[in-house]
Amino acid sequence: VQLRESGGGSVQAGDSLRLSCAASGVVFSILAMGWYRQAPGKEREMVAIVPSGGNTVYANSVKGRFTISRDNTRNTISLQMDRLKPEDTGVYYCNARLGGEIDDWGQGTQVTVSS
C-alpha cells in the first residue's frame, strides 16, 4: 500500500490542524488505518486507529481533542487535531494494516506546536 500524508505544519498551542492520508494499491475498505507519531528521542506511539469496521481507538492523551475519520470512496483518512498542545509535536505517520499481511507506513509529516 502506498501512503501519502499531508497537512502538517507549525502552529501555536490551542490551534487546530487537519492531517490527511491518501492510500493506493489495494482495496482500501478492508484495511485498518491509523495515525502514529514520534517525538524527538521517543518511540513511535499510536495516536488513533479506525478499523475497517468497528469502533475507533484513541490514545488517552488525545481523547476529546483529536478525531480520526475515513472515506472509503476516496481512499483517504483524516486526523482532525484540535486544542493542540506542545506535547503533540512530532512526526505523524499514516499506517495501513491487514492482519499479518500488510503493515505499511507513509513518509511522515511534521507537526510542531509551540507554546
Side-chain angles (χ1 to χ4, degrees):
V1 181
Q2 291 78 49
L3 302 169
R4 185 175 73 251
E5 301 103 335
S6 61
S10 297
V11 297
Q12 298 288 321
D15 286 348
S16 298
L17 275 177
R18 186 176 181 87
L19 305 183
S20 294
C21 174
S24 60
V26 72
V27 178
F28 180 79
S29 61
I30 66 174
L31 299 171
M33 299 296 298
W35 288 97
Y36 292 71
R37 68 187 180 191
Q38 188 166 19
K42 295 187 177 181
E43 294 186 353
R44 191 174 298 187
E45 63 176 358
M46 185 274 291
V47 175
I49 295 172
V50 54
S52 59
N55 296 326
T56 55
V57 177
Y58 294 94
N60 287 335
S61 60
V62 307
K63 280 182 182 177
R65 299 187 298 121
F66 290 12
T67 304
I68 189 171
S69 59
R70 67 188 296 159
D71 185 342
N72 289 340
T73 65
R74 299 187 176 189
N75 289 5
T76 60
I77 64 167
S78 297
L79 184 69
Q80 177 65 39
M81 306 186 292
D82 297 319
R83 302 193 303 280
L84 282 160
K85 302 177 181 180
E87 50 263 44
D88 295 318
T89 294
V91 179
Y92 282 68
Y93 297 91
C94 179
N95 173 258
R97 195 162 293 174
L98 179 62
E101 299 180 17
I102 295 174
D103 186 10
D104 292 330
W105 298 86
Q107 81 286 353
T109 185
Q110 177 70 44
V111 172
T112 303
V113 185
S114 55
S115 57

